[in-house]
């Protein structure tokens, strides 16, 4: 997964989290937080891969 897709996942997660908070939907809020965190982890993995000389 590329860095751009990881960023997109973070944004999508943030939107879900905000929508869940606004609608008082704890499940949607938690799902958004998880998706945002997944995107951050993927982005970090891409950065690490690049710094180690990977593609």
């Amino acid at each position: 997964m590329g860095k751009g897709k990881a960023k997109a996942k973070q944004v999508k997660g943030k939107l879900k989290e905000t929508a869940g908070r606004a609608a008082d939907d704890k499940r949607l809020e938690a799902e958004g937080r998880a998706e945002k965190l997944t995107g951050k982890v993927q982005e970090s993995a891409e950065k690490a891969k690049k710094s180690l000389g990977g593609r």
Side-chain angles (χ1 to χ4, degrees):
M1 175 173 278
K3 187 176 175 184
K5 286 185 180 182
K7 275 288 190 195
K9 186 168 263 196
Q10 289 177 49
V11 170
K12 184 178 171 188
K14 180 65 175 171
L15 289 172
K16 277 186 180 181
E17 182 180 9
T18 302
R21 192 173 298 126
D24 198 30
D25 183 343
K26 299 297 181 190
R27 187 185 67 77
L28 184 60
E29 189 178 345
E31 189 178 304
R33 267 196 308 270
E35 193 164 348
K36 191 171 63 171
L37 181 60
T38 301
K40 285 183 180 183
V41 168
Q42 289 170 342
E43 183 181 15
S44 295
E46 285 295 321
K47 285 180 183 179
K49 184 175 154 184
K50 204 168 219 177
S51 72
L52 293 174
R55 294 181 188 202

